[in-house]
Amino acid sequence: MFCYQCEQTAHSKKNGIGCQTAQGVCGKDATTADLQDLMTYSVKGIAQYAKLARELGHTDNEADVFILYGLFTTLTNVNFNADRFVELIAEAKQIRDRLREAYEHAAVEQNVPIETPEGPAVWEPATVKAGLLLQVEHAAIDKDLDIVGEDIVGLRAMMLYGLKGVAAYCYHAHVLGYQNEEVFERIEKALDLLANEPTDAELLLGGCLEVGAINLKVMELLDAANTGQFGAQEAGAARTTAVKGKAILVSGHDMQDLYDLLEQTKDTGINIYTHGEMLPAHAYPKLKAYPHLIGNYGTAWQNQHVEFAAFPGAIIMTSNCLIEPQDSYKDRIFTAGPVGWPGVPHLEHGDFTLAIEAAKAAEGFTEDEEEKSVMVGFGRHTVLSVADKVVEAVKSGDISHFFVVGGCDGAAPGRNYYTELVEQTPDDTVVLTLGCGKYRFNDQDLGDIGGIPRLLDVGQCNDTYSAIQIALALAKEFDCGVNDLPLSYMVSWFEQKAVAVLLSLLSLGIKGIHLGPTLPGFITPNLLNILVETFDIKPNGVASEDLAKALAQQAA
């Protein structure tokens, strides 16, 4: 295996080196890693024929959605079930072949020459796991490193990993009933480009920015899906301590799964707790209307071994952020959607009966804990509703600077940088945060500025659109560009959704982003130079020094 798609990758501080052993740092074994590469390769083949068919007026929604789902399963900490990938690769071949037939039929009917794409489009996967593992050389991310060099391989990787993040966000929107044909078309074109294994650095860099632009459209779609289904976020407190009673803990990102679970547990006496990226659920009116959505338990994904072991109920993992279940809770954890682990029961079709029965059988919390809470719900609707106060506070000098401190948390050293940064922000500055990285500091009381809290929780990484819209609205109010605002981006990256978000910011022309705690393994020294020269990317240094530089640069 060779994998360097996440920040936690072995030897991540040395560019170009990733996990190459029997097991990745994430817990993914070599067999699963290789099958995931083949899954990605299969999806490229679907996209090649989907693109050709679409050009002749034929679309296939099942294929479009499978592309999203197939890529989603290959994200870091999503699906570790090797047998599931054998099934998915076989399904991918059937979909690809169906699209090929539809395309060729349309070409004959319209009297146009039939094109025969190469690579993934004509690959014939083996039908059993052992045979597939002999075909891995087709799909390895670094398969022609010796020919094209590490910079080209790195650019291809950045584009592909960004597309994986796009697919995940887009799948979240699809689950909520929102999709967009333009998005499907652009995803297919981007995958088709990668399927042809380009060697032109400028073309690939342009492809990366196109992925960022696609992601902006997707995040707008997901924002519409979340607010359309559950209402615009409202500011309020989310309890972070336990309440006596039976309990189910929901982690991941999937709000639809949470809603379905709330419906199925009404009047059962079971309390529902969120975990990790599900914290913003307590800001959505339709979700918080359920009185048994009782609070948020625990912190970010990397702490689940300790937190899940201590939770006295059933646990449901939706979407990403699963790590190897421990024996202490393996009999009461369940997966849903694209998530999977060998031997862990998978909940199909939104039916949470197994988890509900497990919760009833578990002890539950035996007493109420002292009530504590954190504030949530400062999405774009909340913040922009008081935009006039924010603008006036800036004009009067009460607010001197904004910091967007967002992104993923993780187990590797270096993420205390963000805690130190937030703790040291001056009293006349405002921190907007989103993503699970906020658990490093979201329980701190930073006070307020004229009634405006200094710490504003915008939501999940899925809510990046909100942060972008807030920045664009402020730029409009001050009649300036986003780069001219007293605003700094301090972004922590971990996996492929973070790559998609970073590419979105770059596609908007936003410069001076601080990125860390360590840089992705696929960012070679030459690629870093390009990013620094073109976008003024700033790798993390010392928190106090980076903070001082950000404030000094704005003052200048």
mmCIF file of all heavy atoms in Angstrom, residues 257-298:
data_model
loop_
_atom_site.group_PDB
_atom_site.id
_atom_site.type_symbol
_atom_site.label_atom_id
_atom_site.label_comp_id
_atom_site.label_asym_id
_atom_site.label_seq_id
_atom_site.Cartn_x
_atom_site.Cartn_y
_atom_site.Cartn_z
ATOM 1 N N ASP A 257 -29.629 11.242 9.199
ATOM 2 C CA ASP A 257 -29.629 10.083 10.085
ATOM 3 C C ASP A 257 -30.069 10.483 11.487
ATOM 4 O O ASP A 257 -30.839 9.763 12.141
ATOM 5 C CB ASP A 257 -28.230 9.454 10.147
ATOM 6 C CG ASP A 257 -27.975 8.488 8.993
ATOM 7 O OD1 ASP A 257 -28.944 8.076 8.343
ATOM 8 O OD2 ASP A 257 -26.809 8.154 8.748
ATOM 9 N N LEU A 258 -29.574 11.623 11.957
ATOM 10 C CA LEU A 258 -29.971 12.089 13.288
ATOM 11 C C LEU A 258 -31.470 12.354 13.346
ATOM 12 O O LEU A 258 -32.150 11.957 14.305
ATOM 13 C CB LEU A 258 -29.188 13.356 13.649
ATOM 14 C CG LEU A 258 -29.571 14.004 14.988
ATOM 15 C CD1 LEU A 258 -29.319 13.041 16.151
ATOM 16 C CD2 LEU A 258 -28.806 15.304 15.189
ATOM 17 N N TYR A 259 -31.992 13.005 12.326
ATOM 18 C CA TYR A 259 -33.436 13.288 12.286
ATOM 19 C C TYR A 259 -34.250 11.988 12.301
ATOM 20 O O TYR A 259 -35.228 11.867 13.061
ATOM 21 C CB TYR A 259 -33.774 14.109 11.044
ATOM 22 C CG TYR A 259 -35.253 14.311 10.843
ATOM 23 C CD1 TYR A 259 -35.966 15.209 11.628
ATOM 24 C CD2 TYR A 259 -35.943 13.572 9.893
ATOM 25 C CE1 TYR A 259 -37.338 15.384 11.454
ATOM 26 C CE2 TYR A 259 -37.316 13.731 9.714
ATOM 27 C CZ TYR A 259 -38.005 14.637 10.495
ATOM 28 O OH TYR A 259 -39.360 14.794 10.334
ATOM 29 N N ASP A 260 -33.847 11.031 11.486
ATOM 30 C CA ASP A 260 -34.574 9.759 11.438
ATOM 31 C C ASP A 260 -34.529 9.055 12.790
ATOM 32 O O ASP A 260 -35.525 8.466 13.231
ATOM 33 C CB ASP A 260 -33.975 8.856 10.353
ATOM 34 C CG ASP A 260 -34.234 9.374 8.947
ATOM 35 O OD1 ASP A 260 -35.148 10.214 8.779
ATOM 36 O OD2 ASP A 260 -33.516 8.960 8.028
ATOM 37 N N LEU A 261 -33.369 9.125 13.433
ATOM 38 C CA LEU A 261 -33.250 8.502 14.752
ATOM 39 C C LEU A 261 -34.149 9.200 15.770
ATOM 40 O O LEU A 261 -34.798 8.540 16.598
ATOM 41 C CB LEU A 261 -31.794 8.549 15.218
ATOM 42 C CG LEU A 261 -31.535 7.986 16.617
ATOM 43 C CD1 LEU A 261 -31.808 6.486 16.656
ATOM 44 C CD2 LEU A 261 -30.105 8.290 17.059
ATOM 45 N N LEU A 262 -34.194 10.517 15.733
ATOM 46 C CA LEU A 262 -35.058 11.259 16.656
ATOM 47 C C LEU A 262 -36.518 10.859 16.471
ATOM 48 O O LEU A 262 -37.265 10.702 17.448
ATOM 49 C CB LEU A 262 -34.877 12.762 16.445
ATOM 50 C CG LEU A 262 -33.542 13.344 16.926
ATOM 51 C CD1 LEU A 262 -33.353 14.761 16.396
ATOM 52 C CD2 LEU A 262 -33.464 13.335 18.452
ATOM 53 N N GLU A 263 -36.911 10.690 15.211
ATOM 54 C CA GLU A 263 -38.282 10.275 14.938
ATOM 55 C C GLU A 263 -38.560 8.881 15.504
ATOM 56 O O GLU A 263 -39.608 8.618 16.087
ATOM 57 C CB GLU A 263 -38.528 10.272 13.425
ATOM 58 C CG GLU A 263 -38.972 11.600 12.865
ATOM 59 C CD GLU A 263 -40.388 11.960 13.307
ATOM 60 O OE1 GLU A 263 -41.320 11.207 13.006
ATOM 61 O OE2 GLU A 263 -40.534 12.997 13.987
ATOM 62 N N GLN A 264 -37.597 7.984 15.335
ATOM 63 C CA GLN A 264 -37.803 6.588 15.744
ATOM 64 C C GLN A 264 -37.674 6.367 17.251
ATOM 65 O O GLN A 264 -38.045 5.304 17.754
ATOM 66 C CB GLN A 264 -36.816 5.686 14.994
ATOM 67 C CG GLN A 264 -37.093 5.597 13.506
ATOM 68 C CD GLN A 264 -35.997 4.873 12.739
ATOM 69 O OE1 GLN A 264 -35.429 3.896 13.222
ATOM 70 N NE2 GLN A 264 -35.702 5.343 11.540
ATOM 71 N N THR A 265 -37.149 7.377 17.969
ATOM 72 C CA THR A 265 -36.987 7.228 19.418
ATOM 73 C C THR A 265 -37.938 8.121 20.212
ATOM 74 O O THR A 265 -37.814 8.221 21.436
ATOM 75 C CB THR A 265 -35.534 7.540 19.830
ATOM 76 O OG1 THR A 265 -35.129 8.801 19.273
ATOM 77 C CG2 THR A 265 -34.587 6.449 19.359
ATOM 78 N N LYS A 266 -38.870 8.759 19.533
ATOM 79 C CA LYS A 266 -39.857 9.564 20.249
ATOM 80 C C LYS A 266 -40.606 8.694 21.262
ATOM 81 O O LYS A 266 -41.014 7.575 20.947
ATOM 82 C CB LYS A 266 -40.865 10.190 19.273
ATOM 83 C CG LYS A 266 -40.335 11.363 18.480
ATOM 84 C CD LYS A 266 -41.428 12.088 17.731
ATOM 85 C CE LYS A 266 -42.186 11.208 16.773
ATOM 86 N NZ LYS A 266 -43.139 11.984 15.931
ATOM 87 N N ASP A 267 -40.785 9.222 22.461
ATOM 88 C CA ASP A 267 -41.595 8.566 23.497
ATOM 89 C C ASP A 267 -41.057 7.195 23.915
ATOM 90 O O ASP A 267 -41.804 6.374 24.448
ATOM 91 C CB ASP A 267 -43.049 8.407 23.019
ATOM 92 C CG ASP A 267 -43.672 9.735 22.589
ATOM 93 O OD1 ASP A 267 -43.425 10.730 23.282
ATOM 94 O OD2 ASP A 267 -44.376 9.752 21.565
ATOM 95 N N THR A 268 -39.763 6.947 23.682
ATOM 96 C CA THR A 268 -39.171 5.671 24.119
ATOM 97 C C THR A 268 -38.424 5.826 25.436
ATOM 98 O O THR A 268 -37.999 4.829 26.030
ATOM 99 C CB THR A 268 -38.182 5.139 23.067
ATOM 100 O OG1 THR A 268 -37.098 6.078 22.925
ATOM 101 C CG2 THR A 268 -38.859 4.911 21.729
ATOM 102 N N GLY A 269 -38.209 7.070 25.856
ATOM 103 C CA GLY A 269 -37.423 7.309 27.058
ATOM 104 C C GLY A 269 -35.932 7.312 26.821
ATOM 105 O O GLY A 269 -35.140 7.405 27.760
ATOM 106 N N ILE A 270 -35.521 7.204 25.554
ATOM 107 C CA ILE A 270 -34.098 7.206 25.214
ATOM 108 C C ILE A 270 -33.668 8.626 24.866
ATOM 109 O O ILE A 270 -34.297 9.288 24.024
ATOM 110 C CB ILE A 270 -33.806 6.268 24.030
ATOM 111 C CG1 ILE A 270 -34.181 4.830 24.380
ATOM 112 C CG2 ILE A 270 -32.333 6.348 23.632
ATOM 113 C CD1 ILE A 270 -34.074 3.867 23.213
ATOM 114 N N ASN A 271 -32.604 9.095 25.509
ATOM 115 C CA ASN A 271 -32.046 10.410 25.196
ATOM 116 C C ASN A 271 -31.006 10.283 24.095
ATOM 117 O O ASN A 271 -30.233 9.325 24.067
ATOM 118 C CB ASN A 271 -31.396 11.030 26.437
ATOM 119 C CG ASN A 271 -32.415 11.425 27.491
ATOM 120 O OD1 ASN A 271 -33.523 11.862 27.159
ATOM 121 N ND2 ASN A 271 -32.065 11.265 28.759
ATOM 122 N N ILE A 272 -30.998 11.265 23.205
ATOM 123 C CA ILE A 272 -30.058 11.272 22.085
ATOM 124 C C ILE A 272 -28.996 12.340 22.326
ATOM 125 O O ILE A 272 -29.323 13.505 22.616
ATOM 126 C CB ILE A 272 -30.788 11.543 20.753
ATOM 127 C CG1 ILE A 272 -31.963 10.577 20.568
ATOM 128 C CG2 ILE A 272 -29.798 11.446 19.592
ATOM 129 C CD1 ILE A 272 -31.586 9.112 20.578
ATOM 130 N N TYR A 273 -27.743 11.931 22.194
ATOM 131 C CA TYR A 273 -26.611 12.840 22.338
ATOM 132 C C TYR A 273 -25.862 12.925 21.011
ATOM 133 O O TYR A 273 -25.745 11.932 20.289
ATOM 134 C CB TYR A 273 -25.630 12.340 23.402
ATOM 135 C CG TYR A 273 -26.171 12.316 24.808
ATOM 136 C CD1 TYR A 273 -26.986 11.264 25.234
ATOM 137 C CD2 TYR A 273 -25.861 13.316 25.723
ATOM 138 C CE1 TYR A 273 -27.480 11.225 26.528
ATOM 139 C CE2 TYR A 273 -26.346 13.287 27.024
ATOM 140 C CZ TYR A 273 -27.162 12.239 27.426
ATOM 141 O OH TYR A 273 -27.647 12.198 28.711
ATOM 142 N N THR A 274 -25.340 14.098 20.708
ATOM 143 C CA THR A 274 -24.473 14.249 19.542
ATOM 144 C C THR A 274 -23.016 14.152 19.977
ATOM 145 O O THR A 274 -22.680 14.303 21.153
ATOM 146 C CB THR A 274 -24.713 15.601 18.848
ATOM 147 O OG1 THR A 274 -24.514 16.667 19.803
ATOM 148 C CG2 THR A 274 -26.120 15.681 18.286
ATOM 149 N N HIS A 275 -22.155 13.917 19.000
ATOM 150 C CA HIS A 275 -20.723 13.800 19.260
ATOM 151 C C HIS A 275 -19.973 14.371 18.063
ATOM 152 O O HIS A 275 -20.422 14.281 16.923
ATOM 153 C CB HIS A 275 -20.341 12.329 19.456
ATOM 154 C CG HIS A 275 -18.874 12.098 19.655
ATOM 155 N ND1 HIS A 275 -18.004 11.852 18.603
ATOM 156 C CD2 HIS A 275 -18.111 12.088 20.778
ATOM 157 C CE1 HIS A 275 -16.773 11.689 19.070
ATOM 158 N NE2 HIS A 275 -16.807 11.826 20.391
ATOM 159 N N GLY A 276 -18.817 14.975 18.321
ATOM 160 C CA GLY A 276 -17.971 15.451 17.233
ATOM 161 C C GLY A 276 -18.646 16.502 16.382
ATOM 162 O O GLY A 276 -19.188 17.495 16.882
ATOM 163 N N GLU A 277 -18.652 16.258 15.062
ATOM 164 C CA GLU A 277 -19.180 17.244 14.114
ATOM 165 C C GLU A 277 -20.704 17.373 14.158
ATOM 166 O O GLU A 277 -21.271 18.206 13.466
ATOM 167 C CB GLU A 277 -18.749 16.866 12.688
ATOM 168 C CG GLU A 277 -17.270 17.088 12.407
ATOM 169 C CD GLU A 277 -16.979 18.490 11.918
ATOM 170 O OE1 GLU A 277 -17.641 19.437 12.376
ATOM 171 O OE2 GLU A 277 -16.084 18.635 11.068
ATOM 172 N N MET A 278 -21.376 16.560 14.967
ATOM 173 C CA MET A 278 -22.832 16.656 15.059
ATOM 174 C C MET A 278 -23.288 17.746 16.023
ATOM 175 O O MET A 278 -24.485 18.028 16.125
ATOM 176 C CB MET A 278 -23.424 15.313 15.504
ATOM 177 C CG MET A 278 -23.180 14.170 14.538
ATOM 178 S SD MET A 278 -23.938 14.410 12.919
ATOM 179 C CE MET A 278 -25.648 14.121 13.311
ATOM 180 N N LEU A 279 -22.368 18.384 16.723
ATOM 181 C CA LEU A 279 -22.727 19.429 17.685
ATOM 182 C C LEU A 279 -23.663 20.496 17.118
ATOM 183 O O LEU A 279 -24.625 20.914 17.784
ATOM 184 C CB LEU A 279 -21.445 20.069 18.242
ATOM 185 C CG LEU A 279 -21.600 21.311 19.121
ATOM 186 C CD1 LEU A 279 -22.428 21.003 20.364
ATOM 187 C CD2 LEU A 279 -20.228 21.876 19.512
ATOM 188 N N PRO A 280 -23.460 20.984 15.877
ATOM 189 C CA PRO A 280 -24.338 22.032 15.352
ATOM 190 C C PRO A 280 -25.809 21.622 15.226
ATOM 191 O O PRO A 280 -26.663 22.487 14.995
ATOM 192 C CB PRO A 280 -23.736 22.349 13.978
ATOM 193 C CG PRO A 280 -22.310 21.926 14.085
ATOM 194 C CD PRO A 280 -22.335 20.725 14.960
ATOM 195 N N ALA A 281 -26.113 20.348 15.360
ATOM 196 C CA ALA A 281 -27.516 19.917 15.302
ATOM 197 C C ALA A 281 -28.362 20.678 16.314
ATOM 198 O O ALA A 281 -29.562 20.917 16.084
ATOM 199 C CB ALA A 281 -27.618 18.415 15.567
ATOM 200 N N HIS A 282 -27.743 21.078 17.417
ATOM 201 C CA HIS A 282 -28.481 21.769 18.477
ATOM 202 C C HIS A 282 -28.840 23.200 18.100
ATOM 203 O O HIS A 282 -29.497 23.899 18.886
ATOM 204 C CB HIS A 282 -27.662 21.744 19.771
ATOM 205 C CG HIS A 282 -27.374 20.360 20.257
ATOM 206 N ND1 HIS A 282 -28.241 19.641 21.044
ATOM 207 C CD2 HIS A 282 -26.318 19.533 20.022
ATOM 208 C CE1 HIS A 282 -27.732 18.446 21.295
ATOM 209 N NE2 HIS A 282 -26.561 18.353 20.677
ATOM 210 N N ALA A 283 -28.441 23.634 16.918
ATOM 211 C CA ALA A 283 -28.787 24.974 16.449
ATOM 212 C C ALA A 283 -29.921 24.978 15.435
ATOM 213 O O ALA A 283 -30.479 26.036 15.133
ATOM 214 C CB ALA A 283 -27.558 25.648 15.833
ATOM 215 N N TYR A 284 -30.266 23.801 14.888
ATOM 216 C CA TYR A 284 -31.298 23.745 13.857
ATOM 217 C C TYR A 284 -32.683 23.586 14.497
ATOM 218 O O TYR A 284 -32.912 22.638 15.263
ATOM 219 C CB TYR A 284 -31.038 22.578 12.898
ATOM 220 C CG TYR A 284 -29.867 22.813 11.973
ATOM 221 C CD1 TYR A 284 -28.659 22.145 12.172
ATOM 222 C CD2 TYR A 284 -29.963 23.708 10.907
ATOM 223 C CE1 TYR A 284 -27.576 22.357 11.332
ATOM 224 C CE2 TYR A 284 -28.890 23.918 10.062
ATOM 225 C CZ TYR A 284 -27.694 23.250 10.287
ATOM 226 O OH TYR A 284 -26.630 23.471 9.455
ATOM 227 N N PRO A 285 -33.617 24.503 14.207
ATOM 228 C CA PRO A 285 -34.929 24.490 14.862
ATOM 229 C C PRO A 285 -35.660 23.150 14.784
ATOM 230 O O PRO A 285 -36.229 22.692 15.783
ATOM 231 C CB PRO A 285 -35.710 25.580 14.125
ATOM 232 C CG PRO A 285 -34.664 26.504 13.611
ATOM 233 C CD PRO A 285 -33.482 25.642 13.287
ATOM 234 N N LYS A 286 -35.647 22.506 13.633
ATOM 235 C CA LYS A 286 -36.410 21.273 13.470
ATOM 236 C C LYS A 286 -35.814 20.130 14.287
ATOM 237 O O LYS A 286 -36.545 19.222 14.724
ATOM 238 C CB LYS A 286 -36.466 20.876 11.994
ATOM 239 C CG LYS A 286 -37.440 19.744 11.685
ATOM 240 C CD LYS A 286 -37.589 19.536 10.189
ATOM 241 C CE LYS A 286 -38.560 18.395 9.879
ATOM 242 N NZ LYS A 286 -38.734 18.212 8.411
ATOM 243 N N LEU A 287 -34.508 20.165 14.511
ATOM 244 C CA LEU A 287 -33.865 19.115 15.295
ATOM 245 C C LEU A 287 -33.964 19.398 16.789
ATOM 246 O O LEU A 287 -34.298 18.503 17.580
ATOM 247 C CB LEU A 287 -32.395 18.970 14.873
ATOM 248 C CG LEU A 287 -32.163 18.515 13.437
ATOM 249 C CD1 LEU A 287 -30.670 18.485 13.115
ATOM 250 C CD2 LEU A 287 -32.776 17.145 13.173
ATOM 251 N N LYS A 288 -33.704 20.632 17.178
ATOM 252 C CA LYS A 288 -33.723 20.921 18.615
ATOM 253 C C LYS A 288 -35.146 20.967 19.170
ATOM 254 O O LYS A 288 -35.330 21.037 20.394
ATOM 255 C CB LYS A 288 -32.973 22.216 18.918
ATOM 256 C CG LYS A 288 -33.617 23.496 18.428
ATOM 257 C CD LYS A 288 -32.737 24.690 18.827
ATOM 258 C CE LYS A 288 -33.373 26.018 18.464
ATOM 259 N NZ LYS A 288 -32.544 27.163 18.899
ATOM 260 N N ALA A 289 -36.147 20.887 18.286
ATOM 261 C CA ALA A 289 -37.529 20.808 18.752
ATOM 262 C C ALA A 289 -37.816 19.479 19.445
ATOM 263 O O ALA A 289 -38.806 19.359 20.182
ATOM 264 C CB ALA A 289 -38.491 21.002 17.579
ATOM 265 N N TYR A 290 -36.976 18.475 19.209
ATOM 266 C CA TYR A 290 -37.150 17.187 19.884
ATOM 267 C C TYR A 290 -36.561 17.292 21.295
ATOM 268 O O TYR A 290 -35.343 17.461 21.448
ATOM 269 C CB TYR A 290 -36.438 16.076 19.111
ATOM 270 C CG TYR A 290 -37.089 15.726 17.803
ATOM 271 C CD1 TYR A 290 -36.753 16.385 16.630
ATOM 272 C CD2 TYR A 290 -38.060 14.720 17.744
ATOM 273 C CE1 TYR A 290 -37.358 16.063 15.418
ATOM 274 C CE2 TYR A 290 -38.668 14.384 16.547
ATOM 275 C CZ TYR A 290 -38.316 15.061 15.380
ATOM 276 O OH TYR A 290 -38.919 14.734 14.191
ATOM 277 N N PRO A 291 -37.386 17.187 22.320
ATOM 278 C CA PRO A 291 -36.864 17.356 23.690
ATOM 279 C C PRO A 291 -35.864 16.292 24.093
ATOM 280 O O PRO A 291 -35.053 16.514 24.997
ATOM 281 C CB PRO A 291 -38.127 17.291 24.557
ATOM 282 C CG PRO A 291 -39.152 16.587 23.726
ATOM 283 C CD PRO A 291 -38.842 16.951 22.309
ATOM 284 N N HIS A 292 -35.898 15.123 23.433
ATOM 285 C CA HIS A 292 -34.928 14.085 23.816
ATOM 286 C C HIS A 292 -33.604 14.203 23.070
ATOM 287 O O HIS A 292 -32.714 13.358 23.260
ATOM 288 C CB HIS A 292 -35.529 12.688 23.657
ATOM 289 C CG HIS A 292 -35.891 12.295 22.260
ATOM 290 N ND1 HIS A 292 -36.772 13.014 21.474
ATOM 291 C CD2 HIS A 292 -35.491 11.232 21.502
ATOM 292 C CE1 HIS A 292 -36.886 12.414 20.300
ATOM 293 N NE2 HIS A 292 -36.129 11.338 20.287
ATOM 294 N N LEU A 293 -33.429 15.253 22.224
ATOM 295 C CA LEU A 293 -32.081 15.620 21.757
ATOM 296 C C LEU A 293 -31.466 16.389 22.915
ATOM 297 O O LEU A 293 -31.604 17.599 23.032
ATOM 298 C CB LEU A 293 -32.136 16.470 20.488
ATOM 299 C CG LEU A 293 -30.777 16.914 19.939
ATOM 300 C CD1 LEU A 293 -29.902 15.730 19.568
ATOM 301 C CD2 LEU A 293 -30.955 17.834 18.730
ATOM 302 N N ILE A 294 -30.817 15.666 23.792
ATOM 303 C CA ILE A 294 -30.562 16.160 25.143
ATOM 304 C C ILE A 294 -29.283 16.978 25.276
ATOM 305 O O ILE A 294 -29.156 17.832 26.139
ATOM 306 C CB ILE A 294 -30.547 14.974 26.136
ATOM 307 C CG1 ILE A 294 -31.010 15.434 27.517
ATOM 308 C CG2 ILE A 294 -29.194 14.294 26.194
ATOM 309 C CD1 ILE A 294 -32.486 15.692 27.606
ATOM 310 N N GLY A 295 -28.291 16.700 24.398
ATOM 311 C CA GLY A 295 -27.036 17.429 24.534
ATOM 312 C C GLY A 295 -25.937 16.842 23.677
ATOM 313 O O GLY A 295 -26.157 15.951 22.851
ATOM 314 N N ASN A 296 -24.729 17.340 23.888
ATOM 315 C CA ASN A 296 -23.542 16.870 23.175
ATOM 316 C C ASN A 296 -22.621 16.191 24.176
ATOM 317 O O ASN A 296 -22.357 16.726 25.259
ATOM 318 C CB ASN A 296 -22.815 18.032 22.506
ATOM 319 C CG ASN A 296 -21.701 17.572 21.576
ATOM 320 O OD1 ASN A 296 -21.970 17.118 20.469
ATOM 321 N ND2 ASN A 296 -20.456 17.686 22.016
ATOM 322 N N TYR A 297 -22.149 15.008 23.811
ATOM 323 C CA TYR A 297 -21.280 14.242 24.697
ATOM 324 C C TYR A 297 -19.913 14.083 24.039
ATOM 325 O O TYR A 297 -19.817 13.658 22.876
ATOM 326 C CB TYR A 297 -21.888 12.862 24.950
ATOM 327 C CG TYR A 297 -21.035 11.928 25.775
ATOM 328 C CD1 TYR A 297 -21.162 11.862 27.155
ATOM 329 C CD2 TYR A 297 -20.098 11.095 25.153
ATOM 330 C CE1 TYR A 297 -20.381 10.993 27.905
ATOM 331 C CE2 TYR A 297 -19.308 10.223 25.898
ATOM 332 C CZ TYR A 297 -19.458 10.185 27.275
ATOM 333 O OH TYR A 297 -18.670 9.328 27.997
ATOM 334 N N GLY A 298 -18.864 14.416 24.755
ATOM 335 C CA GLY A 298 -17.520 14.204 24.238
ATOM 336 C C GLY A 298 -17.038 15.336 23.361
ATOM 337 O O GLY A 298 -17.628 16.421 23.304
#
